């Protein structure tokens, strides 16, 4: 098969289409012939960090396709099934944390930027019937992260107020829509009026620019009072402001640090306000199934910013940092990729 392999670290990174061996399913595993895959910020962290892995490597955590081979001891999955891939490996039985075997598909294990991927059979699920192949690929990693952040951690419910920072991010486009679907009133920060307009189309009530130093006060004003929860992945520079948007007893949910790894906060803004800070990453198999069940009946759709053929992965990688991007970048395998002869 052909894989779009990372061959040079950097920003921009170097990719090459290469022939690699077809994956063979071991016991309990299946091979998925991919129709679509999707990029995540995780991929950027990998291709910009020379210490992240050895090269060449097949990245990619998200994918949707058709099961093409099934290993021994696999029940409930058959060749020909149309599936989405859950990138969370080895979560285990607990809900509050994964077990020691936790990992994410796509480095160190070969991922979805290829014609085929091998995964545990428990990591595939029927493709939600109402989603396109592109939307299906966009769903899994970002949708699951958003589901756990918004539902499990922020407790979104009818009447609750939730802040989502950086509304244009891949995960945030899910967080906004999931919280709205559960009946919450959602407020956002973002970079431009155009992105704010898109967030309002997704169901957000109101929002403002995160470039305004007084954004926390502006959010509280827009919401008519302090909020129940803030869902943030910008990290260090965001925490102090996000805490200030919260009511007493409110919850700051953190799942990323795009903007910086260190935060300076007033400790009393936590304990003297009875607030909680909850960290979360990915989600359990039960949460993934709950997300898929929700998607079957929900009216929202994953926000696909753009679709590139696998052979144009370098252009897709550039688009990740385009300030106009809103939502997810998808790779299509509908046109068979051809390496240079
Ligand atoms: N823990 C997990 O399981 C998990 C899962 C997925 C992602 N993550 C992490 O979460 C972060 C977001 O991931 P992603 O894939 O959604 O990223 P992404 O699509 O690359 O989004 C980056 C976003 O950062 C926002 N941003 C820029 N400056 C900001 C500021 N000053 N305040 C608030 N937001 C700002 C921008 O929002 P606008 O477009 O609105 O300007 C931009 O869209 C990354 O750090 C990623 O590694 C963690």
């Amino acid at each position: 098969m052909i894989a779009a392999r990372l061959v040079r670290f950097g920003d921009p990174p170097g990719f090459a289409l290469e022939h690699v061996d077809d994956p063979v399913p071991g016991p309990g595993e299946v091979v998925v012939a991919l129709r679509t895959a999707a990029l995540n910020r995780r991929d950027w962290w990998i291709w910009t960090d020379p210490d992240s892995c050895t090269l060449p490597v097949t990245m990619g955590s998200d994918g949707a396709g058709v099961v093409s081979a099934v290993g021994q001891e696999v029940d409930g999955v058959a060749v020909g099934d149309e599936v989405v891939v859950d990138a969370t490996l080895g979560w285990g039985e607990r809900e509050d944390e994964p077990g020691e075997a936790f990992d994410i598909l796509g480095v160190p294990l070969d991922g979805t930027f290829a014609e085929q991927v091998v995964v545990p059979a428990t990591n595939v699920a029927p493709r939600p019937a109402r989603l396109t192949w592109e939307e299906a690929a966009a769903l899994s990693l970002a949708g699951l992260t958003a589901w756990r952040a918004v539902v499990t951690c922020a407790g979104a419910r009818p009447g609750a107020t939730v802040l989502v920072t950086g509304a244009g991010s891949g995960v945030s486009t899910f967080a906004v829509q999931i919280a709205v679907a559960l009946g919450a009133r959602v407020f956002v920060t973002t970079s431009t009026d155009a992105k704010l307009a898109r967030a309002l189309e997704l169901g957000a009530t109101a929002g403002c620019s995160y470039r305004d130093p007084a954004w926390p006060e502006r959010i509280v004003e827009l919401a008519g009072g302090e909020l129940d929860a803030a869902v943030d992945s910008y990290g260090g520079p965001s925490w102090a402001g996000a805490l200030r948007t919260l009511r007493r007893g409110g919850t700051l949910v953190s799942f990323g640090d795009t903007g910086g790894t260190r935060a300076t906060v007033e400790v009393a803004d936590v304990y003297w306000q009875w607030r909680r800070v909850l960290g979360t990453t990915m989600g359990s198999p039960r949460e993934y199934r709950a997300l898929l069940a929700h998607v079957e009946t929900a009216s929202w759709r994953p926000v696909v910013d753009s679709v590139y053929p696998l052979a144009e992965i370098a252009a897709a990688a550039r688009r990740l940092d385009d300030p106009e991007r809103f939502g997810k970048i998808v790779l299509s395998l509908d046109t068979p990729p051809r390496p240079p002869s």
Side-chain angles (χ1 to χ4, degrees):
M1 70 160 179
I2 291 166
R5 309 197 88 193
L6 180 68
V7 294
R8 192 185 64 251
F9 292 110
D11 197 9
F15 288 98
L17 292 184
E18 294 181 352
H19 287 285
V20 297
D21 291 341
D22 283 353
V24 177
E29 293 181 332
V30 299
V31 172
V32 179
L34 292 154
R35 293 281 306 269
T36 46
L39 271 67
N40 288 285
R41 179 57 55 179
R42 178 175 193 271
D43 305 316
W44 183 94
W45 295 116
I46 292 168
W47 74 56
T48 56
D49 177 6
D51 295 327
S52 60
C53 58
T54 53
L55 300 183
V57 73
T58 305
M59 301 169 49
S61 305
D62 277 328
V66 180
V67 174
S68 59
V70 170
Q72 293 174 346
E73 301 161 32
V74 170
D75 286 327
V77 183
V79 169
D81 286 358
E82 296 188 353
V83 295
V84 285
V85 176
D86 175 7
T88 310
L89 303 170
W91 180 284
E93 297 307 315
R94 293 178 64 125
E95 291 304 309
D96 61 337
E97 58 157 339
E100 288 301 314
F102 172 77
D103 211 335
I104 299 173
L105 179 67
V107 180
L109 294 178
D110 282 345
T112 57
F113 298 166
E115 290 183 305
Q116 299 171 49
V117 67
V118 62
V119 289
T122 48
N123 278 70
V124 299
R127 172 169 75 102
R130 69 182 193 84
L131 300 190
T132 65
W133 283 107
E134 290 77 14
E135 291 167 339
L139 176 70
S140 289
L141 189 150
L144 176 60
T145 304
W147 181 267
R148 184 172 168 92
V150 164
V151 181
T152 311
C153 300
R157 61 193 178 283
T161 46
V162 178
L163 166 67
V164 178
T165 58
S169 103
V171 179
S172 293
T173 54
F174 287 98
V176 168
Q177 296 194 96
I178 291 168
V180 168
L182 295 179
R185 289 170 64 228
V186 177
F187 299 84
V188 297
T189 62
T190 188
S191 43
T192 64
D193 289 346
K195 288 192 176 189
L196 178 56
R198 295 285 305 273
L200 298 185
E201 284 169 18
L202 298 183
T205 300
C208 68
S209 170
Y210 50 63
R211 298 199 174 114
D212 177 354
W215 66 263
E217 291 68 34
R218 182 79 186 116
I219 289 293
V220 171
E221 187 182 310
L222 289 167
E226 289 157 333
L227 287 76
D228 297 309
V231 175
D232 177 75
S233 64
Y234 200 62
S238 225
W239 274 36
L243 280 171
R244 292 211 307 278
T245 68
L246 296 176
R247 66 166 170 82
R248 285 180 165 193
T251 305
L252 168 58
V253 181
S254 168
F255 64 89
D257 52 13
T258 315
T261 55
R262 285 170 185 264
T264 302
V265 300
E266 292 295 326
V267 177
D269 278 352
V270 179
Y271 76 83
W272 198 242
Q273 299 295 328
W274 292 267
R275 292 176 182 138
R276 301 184 301 164
V277 178
L278 287 183
T280 183
T281 284
M282 308 293 283
S284 74
R286 278 72 58 190
E287 288 169 314
Y288 188 64
R289 292 308 197 267
L291 166 69
L292 293 179
H294 166 83
V295 165
E296 287 289 1
T297 56
S299 57
W300 60 266
R301 317 187 75 86
V303 177
V304 175
D305 168 83
S306 46
V307 182
Y308 295 82
L310 182 66
E312 292 176 25
I313 189 169
R318 282 196 298 279
R319 178 68 180 169
L320 197 66
D321 274 334
D322 186 326
E324 290 188 2
R325 175 176 64 89
F326 189 88
K328 300 286 298 178
I329 299 165
V330 170
L331 297 169
S332 169
L333 287 101
D334 277 354
T335 313
R338 295 267 167 271
S341 49

